[in-house]
Structure formats: structure tokens, C-alpha cells
Amino acid sequence: MTGKRPDIDPRNPDIWLNLHIRDDRAVISLDTSGGSLHRRGYRKDSVSAPMQETVAAAIIGYTEWDSEVPLYDPMCGSGTLLCEALMHYCKIPSGIFRKRFGFEFLPDHDEMLWTKVKKDIDSQIRELPEGHISGSDISSKAVEISKTNILNLPFGDKVKLETLDFREHKGLENGVIVTNPPYGIRMGNRTAT
């Protein structure tokens, strides 16, 4: 024992250990992902109270959108639902921007196998047709933030965005509308329950 702390990066350690204590029981677990997986890496800016990426992915999945018809978000905010719809359609892996995973530092990690699996998954990515996914928001600032985030993804330039009050939209024939409208306290209404 040297009495010195090991040289570990506290923000980005190679291996993450989690300790959960409840009453008189402790559980230690090994985090093989290397940090929170809900952070996809495409969001560079956001409006107030942005939706968590994994929640948006679950909503897109829950809609049972088959990707054959257009998808539109009339209150897109920071574009999280649109980004997740794009990733769903294009088959972009959720960890595409992740530089490393915790399992890569485990002693039994097979680098050749990981490279092959990653290459196989990446080869399934497909292009988004122009305008197949679109969104709007009454706030021009929100639309700009959405553009910033969506353009961080492959084929993000194919997503159509515009500043528009949803009540003025001409409608969507044979498509899916999905949105997370702003409401209550998160948008400044302190009297909401």
C-alpha cells in the first residue's frame, strides 16, 4: 500500500462500479456500458425541460410507426422525438457517437468480435427519404435548436423543419403525428398541478 489514490479519471473511468445501499443491504454492480446510455450524443442544445432520449425512443416504438408512412411532430421543441424517429427509420445504433463502452476494458473483451459486430450493425444503416420525417414549432428558437441537434445525425439534412403554429398546418394524410406538447410548471405555469 502506497497511501496514494490510484490514477483514475473520476469523470471517465475505464470501469464503472455502482454501489446501491438500502437498509442493511449493499449491492455492487459493474457498469459494462461505461456511463448513462440515455445520452445518445446528438443533442448539443435544448429548450426548457427536454425529453430524455430513451423516453423519446420508447414513444416512437409505442406508436408502432412502421416507417412506411411520413412522421410529423407539430411541437418539436429541441427535436428529440424527430432525432429518435430518424434513428429508428435509418437503423442508426443508439450508441453511434459513443467513443467507448465499459466492456471494452474487461479482461475477456474480444476486440475482433466487437469490431465485426459493430461493422455488421453499421452496414444496416439506410438513408432517409427527403421529407419523410418533419417537424415544426411555433418558436423559431426551438426550430433552430432542433436543426442543430438533427444535423448531428446522419441524414439529418433530410428532415424538414419549419416555424409554424400547429393550428396552421395543412394536415398529414396517411401519416403519423407524434408530439410532446409543452405544459404546466415545466413551461413556467407555477399554478399547474
Side-chain angles (χ1 to χ4, degrees), residues 38-58:
H38 81 273
R39 293 187 187 110
R40 307 279 208 227
Y42 57 74
R43 187 177 1 215
K44 303 301 179 199
D45 200 358
S46 65
V47 296
S48 62
M51 179 181 283
Q52 195 175 77
E53 293 93 327
T54 50
V55 172

Side-chain angles (χ1 to χ4, degrees), residues 87-107:
M87 291 178 74
H88 173 79
Y89 180 91
C90 296
K91 300 182 180 180
I92 298 170
S94 60
I96 192 167
F97 297 120
R98 191 172 278 268
K99 302 257 188 275
R100 63 186 191 153
F101 290 89
F103 65 79
E104 294 179 71
F105 297 95
L106 297 177

Side-chain angles (χ1 to χ4, degrees), residues 133-151:
I133 296 173
S134 61
S136 64
D137 201 287
I138 197 168
S139 164
S140 59
K141 182 179 181 192
V143 170
E144 285 307 310
I145 289 170
S146 287
K147 281 181 186 174
T148 298
N149 293 332
I150 289 169
L151 289 175

